[in-house]
Amino acid sequence: MSRRILIVDDEAPARRIVRSFLGRKPEIEIVSEATNGLEAAEAIRNLRPDLVFLDIQMPGMTGFEVIEAIGAGEMPAVIFVTAYDEFALDAFDVQAVDYLLKPFTRERFDRAFDRAIERLGSAGENGKIARLLAALPQTAPYLRRFVVRDRDRLFFVSAGEVIHLTAEGNYVRLHTAAGAHLIRCTLSSLEDRLDPARFVRIHRTGIVNVDAIKEVQAHFHGDYIVLLKSGERLRLSRRYQERLLK
């Protein structure tokens, strides 16, 4: 079975080295290269690689923030690539996550690659990535921003700008004061990554930012209406009343 590989690094020479070392590997397909975190997040979502060579220090978005944007549960296997050992290498060793410290040899590359291939499909791999993220002080426990695509443009939307979220099949629509944006994920998977002190589920298909609520009004049959400061009205179903009203 062919393994799909994504290479992410803002330095062209580093990408060329990884591609060159992969050239001798059987049954692999390099599906794309990304030069920054935004491109990486988009490629991971759209191309679904099995393995990502992920740089840590990149302009605009670090490798850790890429994982934060995608979600550890949705991430493929990762080999981290870094030129810095100030904090990362000890954490990688403890959490048994593969890494390459630049400059690396072919032998070191082959060891990391072989371990990653062995772990593909392992139920515990995403858990290791999640624990690694939790151990790093610069990584926030909850999602701080979303990566949004608008035609051929990628940009960030801060979590604090989101007024409420609605499910649309395998997509979620982010509603902000500036407009709405569609991202590819499910509402249930996203809920676990949102700060529960700020975002609360109010319906099977909806989550609201509590800071955006003006008042809650009683409605028919034990339901409530959530009136937002923007003037929008959302239904609060009985199933989720206690979570919000308490």
Side-chain angles (χ1 to χ4, degrees):
M1 180 179 65
S2 178
R3 298 298 189 180
R4 296 164 57 80
I5 312 294
L6 172 66
I7 303 170
V8 182
D9 201 301
D10 63 319
E11 299 177 346
R15 297 195 304 274
R16 285 196 296 269
I17 289 172
V18 172
R19 178 179 283 273
S20 173
F21 285 179
L22 287 171
R24 298 183 181 181
K25 305 296 181 184
E27 298 184 341
I28 68 156
E29 175 190 2
I30 300 176
V31 295
S32 187
E33 295 183 9
T35 63
N36 57 60
L38 284 169
E39 290 180 2
E42 183 71 4
I44 291 168
R45 286 198 178 109
N46 292 336
L47 300 177
R48 302 291 181 181
D50 299 304
L51 172 63
V52 180
F53 287 86
L54 183 59
D55 191 11
I56 293 178
Q57 297 292 340
M58 296 180 289
M61 194 178 191
T62 69
F64 298 117
E65 289 172 328
V66 170
I67 297 178
E68 182 183 330
I70 296 297
E74 300 297 322
M75 279 295 296
V78 173
I79 294 177
F80 287 100
V81 182
T82 179
Y84 304 91
D85 61 357
E86 298 172 358
F87 62 88
L89 299 189
D90 288 342
F92 294 157
D93 284 337
V94 170
Q95 301 299 332
V97 174
D98 289 316
Y99 68 90
L100 292 171
L101 178 62
K102 301 175 184 176
F104 46 83
T105 65
R106 181 183 294 275
E107 181 182 6
R108 179 66 184 90
F109 178 91
D110 288 344
R111 290 202 307 269
F113 178 83
D114 290 343
R115 281 199 296 267
I117 292 300
E118 289 176 4
R119 290 173 182 163
L120 284 177
S122 169
E125 185 65 16
N126 285 333
K128 292 173 184 175
I129 295 175
R131 291 194 299 274
L132 170 63
L133 289 176
L136 294 171
Q138 82 279 14
T139 303
Y142 300 111
L143 194 62
R144 295 174 297 180
R145 53 187 177 178
F146 302 88
V147 179
V148 174
R149 182 184 182 90
D150 181 14
R151 299 181 179 88
D152 59 349
R153 181 172 68 102
L154 293 170
F155 59 94
F156 291 117
V157 173
S158 169
E161 298 176 22
V162 177
I163 298 172
H164 67 102
L165 309 89
T166 53
E168 297 188 14
N170 291 325
Y171 292 82
V172 171
R173 190 170 296 277
L174 310 176
H175 300 264
T176 73
H181 311 286
L182 204 61
I183 61 173
R184 186 171 181 173
C185 66
T186 64
L187 196 66
S188 294
S189 66
L190 191 59
E191 182 179 12
D192 292 337
R193 298 164 55 204
L194 296 173
D195 184 352
R198 168 177 281 179
F199 292 96
V200 179
R201 190 80 168 252
I202 61 170
H203 191 270
R204 178 177 55 85
T205 60
I207 293 175
V208 68
N209 185 336
V210 295
D211 292 335
I213 297 175
K214 179 179 180 182
E215 60 183 83
V216 178
Q217 303 172 345
H219 196 52
F220 300 114
H221 309 299
D223 284 347
Y224 287 82
I225 293 295
V226 176
L227 180 62
L228 303 182
K229 296 173 184 177
S230 64
E232 292 180 86
R233 298 166 66 87
L234 308 175
R235 186 164 74 90
L236 170 61
S237 67
R238 280 175 288 180
R239 178 181 176 184
Y240 298 102
Q241 284 178 13
E242 182 179 359
R243 192 178 303 184
L244 177 64
L245 297 180
K246 73 177 181 180

Short mmCIF file of all heavy atoms in Angstrom, two decimals, residues 176-197:
data_model
loop_
_atom_site.label_atom_id
_atom_site.label_comp_id
_atom_site.label_asym_id
_atom_site.label_seq_id
_atom_site.Cartn_x
_atom_site.Cartn_y
_atom_site.Cartn_z
N THR A 176 -19.46 35.31 12.43
CA THR A 176 -18.77 36.43 13.05
C THR A 176 -19.49 37.72 12.68
O THR A 176 -20.36 37.74 11.81
CB THR A 176 -17.30 36.52 12.60
OG1 THR A 176 -17.24 36.98 11.24
CG2 THR A 176 -16.62 35.15 12.69
N ALA A 177 -19.09 38.82 13.31
CA ALA A 177 -19.70 40.11 13.00
C ALA A 177 -19.38 40.52 11.56
O ALA A 177 -20.16 41.23 10.93
CB ALA A 177 -19.19 41.17 13.97
N ALA A 178 -18.25 40.04 11.02
CA ALA A 178 -17.84 40.41 9.66
C ALA A 178 -18.43 39.50 8.59
O ALA A 178 -18.35 39.79 7.41
CB ALA A 178 -16.32 40.39 9.57
N GLY A 179 -19.02 38.38 9.00
CA GLY A 179 -19.59 37.45 8.03
C GLY A 179 -19.44 36.02 8.50
O GLY A 179 -18.99 35.75 9.63
N ALA A 180 -19.83 35.07 7.64
CA ALA A 180 -19.79 33.66 7.99
C ALA A 180 -18.73 32.94 7.16
O ALA A 180 -18.47 33.31 6.02
CB ALA A 180 -21.16 33.02 7.77
N HIS A 181 -18.12 31.91 7.76
CA HIS A 181 -17.07 31.15 7.10
C HIS A 181 -17.33 29.66 7.30
O HIS A 181 -17.70 29.24 8.40
CB HIS A 181 -15.69 31.51 7.66
CG HIS A 181 -15.43 32.98 7.73
ND1 HIS A 181 -15.17 33.75 6.63
CD2 HIS A 181 -15.42 33.83 8.80
CE1 HIS A 181 -14.98 35.01 7.01
NE2 HIS A 181 -15.12 35.07 8.32
N LEU A 182 -17.10 28.87 6.27
CA LEU A 182 -17.32 27.43 6.34
C LEU A 182 -15.98 26.72 6.49
O LEU A 182 -15.04 26.98 5.73
CB LEU A 182 -18.03 26.96 5.07
CG LEU A 182 -18.85 25.67 5.14
CD1 LEU A 182 -19.98 25.82 6.15
CD2 LEU A 182 -19.40 25.32 3.77
N ILE A 183 -15.87 25.83 7.49
CA ILE A 183 -14.67 25.03 7.67
C ILE A 183 -15.05 23.56 7.65
O ILE A 183 -16.17 23.19 8.02
CB ILE A 183 -13.92 25.38 8.97
CG1 ILE A 183 -14.79 25.11 10.20
CG2 ILE A 183 -13.44 26.82 8.96
CD1 ILE A 183 -14.06 25.27 11.52
N ARG A 184 -14.11 22.72 7.25
CA ARG A 184 -14.39 21.30 7.11
C ARG A 184 -14.06 20.55 8.39
O ARG A 184 -12.91 20.24 8.69
CB ARG A 184 -13.60 20.71 5.95
CG ARG A 184 -13.96 19.27 5.67
CD ARG A 184 -13.33 18.77 4.39
NE ARG A 184 -13.70 17.39 4.12
CZ ARG A 184 -13.39 16.74 3.01
NH1 ARG A 184 -12.70 17.35 2.07
NH2 ARG A 184 -13.76 15.49 2.85
N CYS A 185 -15.08 20.25 9.17
CA CYS A 185 -14.99 19.43 10.36
C CYS A 185 -16.40 19.24 10.88
O CYS A 185 -17.33 19.87 10.37
CB CYS A 185 -14.09 20.06 11.43
SG CYS A 185 -14.72 21.59 12.12
N THR A 186 -16.58 18.38 11.86
CA THR A 186 -17.90 18.22 12.45
C THR A 186 -18.01 19.05 13.72
O THR A 186 -17.01 19.36 14.36
CB THR A 186 -18.17 16.75 12.79
OG1 THR A 186 -17.26 16.31 13.81
CG2 THR A 186 -18.03 15.87 11.55
N LEU A 187 -19.24 19.39 14.08
CA LEU A 187 -19.46 20.20 15.27
C LEU A 187 -19.03 19.45 16.53
O LEU A 187 -18.46 20.03 17.45
CB LEU A 187 -20.93 20.60 15.37
CG LEU A 187 -21.26 21.74 16.34
CD1 LEU A 187 -20.65 23.04 15.86
CD2 LEU A 187 -22.77 21.89 16.49
N SER A 188 -19.27 18.14 16.57
CA SER A 188 -18.92 17.35 17.75
C SER A 188 -17.41 17.30 17.95
O SER A 188 -16.92 17.43 19.08
CB SER A 188 -19.47 15.93 17.62
OG SER A 188 -20.88 15.94 17.63
N SER A 189 -16.65 17.12 16.88
CA SER A 189 -15.19 17.08 17.01
C SER A 189 -14.64 18.44 17.41
O SER A 189 -13.64 18.55 18.12
CB SER A 189 -14.55 16.61 15.71
OG SER A 189 -14.75 17.54 14.67
N LEU A 190 -15.30 19.50 16.96
CA LEU A 190 -14.84 20.85 17.27
C LEU A 190 -15.17 21.24 18.71
O LEU A 190 -14.42 21.97 19.36
CB LEU A 190 -15.48 21.84 16.30
CG LEU A 190 -14.94 23.27 16.28
CD1 LEU A 190 -13.46 23.28 15.94
CD2 LEU A 190 -15.72 24.10 15.28
N GLU A 191 -16.28 20.75 19.22
CA GLU A 191 -16.73 21.12 20.55
C GLU A 191 -15.68 20.83 21.62
O GLU A 191 -15.46 21.63 22.54
CB GLU A 191 -18.03 20.39 20.89
CG GLU A 191 -18.61 20.77 22.25
CD GLU A 191 -19.91 20.05 22.55
OE1 GLU A 191 -20.25 19.10 21.82
OE2 GLU A 191 -20.58 20.43 23.52
N ASP A 192 -15.01 19.68 21.52
CA ASP A 192 -14.01 19.30 22.52
C ASP A 192 -12.79 20.20 22.50
O ASP A 192 -12.01 20.21 23.46
CB ASP A 192 -13.57 17.85 22.29
CG ASP A 192 -14.68 16.86 22.58
OD1 ASP A 192 -15.59 17.20 23.34
OD2 ASP A 192 -14.63 15.74 22.02
N ARG A 193 -12.61 20.95 21.42
CA ARG A 193 -11.42 21.81 21.29
C ARG A 193 -11.71 23.26 21.63
O ARG A 193 -10.82 24.11 21.57
CB ARG A 193 -10.87 21.69 19.86
CG ARG A 193 -10.43 20.28 19.50
CD ARG A 193 -10.26 20.11 18.03
NE ARG A 193 -9.35 21.10 17.47
CZ ARG A 193 -9.36 21.49 16.20
NH1 ARG A 193 -10.24 21.00 15.36
NH2 ARG A 193 -8.49 22.38 15.77
N LEU A 194 -12.96 23.56 21.98
CA LEU A 194 -13.35 24.93 22.33
C LEU A 194 -13.37 25.11 23.84
O LEU A 194 -13.70 24.18 24.58
CB LEU A 194 -14.73 25.25 21.75
CG LEU A 194 -14.85 25.24 20.23
CD1 LEU A 194 -16.31 25.40 19.81
CD2 LEU A 194 -13.99 26.34 19.61
N ASP A 195 -13.03 26.30 24.29
CA ASP A 195 -13.00 26.61 25.72
C ASP A 195 -14.43 26.55 26.27
O ASP A 195 -15.29 27.35 25.89
CB ASP A 195 -12.43 28.02 25.91
CG ASP A 195 -12.27 28.39 27.37
OD1 ASP A 195 -12.74 27.64 28.25
OD2 ASP A 195 -11.70 29.47 27.64
N PRO A 196 -14.74 25.62 27.20
CA PRO A 196 -16.10 25.50 27.71
C PRO A 196 -16.55 26.68 28.55
O PRO A 196 -17.75 26.85 28.81
CB PRO A 196 -16.04 24.21 28.56
CG PRO A 196 -14.59 24.09 28.95
CD PRO A 196 -13.82 24.63 27.79
N ALA A 197 -15.61 27.51 28.98
CA ALA A 197 -15.98 28.71 29.71
C ALA A 197 -16.49 29.79 28.77
O ALA A 197 -17.13 30.76 29.20
CB ALA A 197 -14.78 29.25 30.49
#
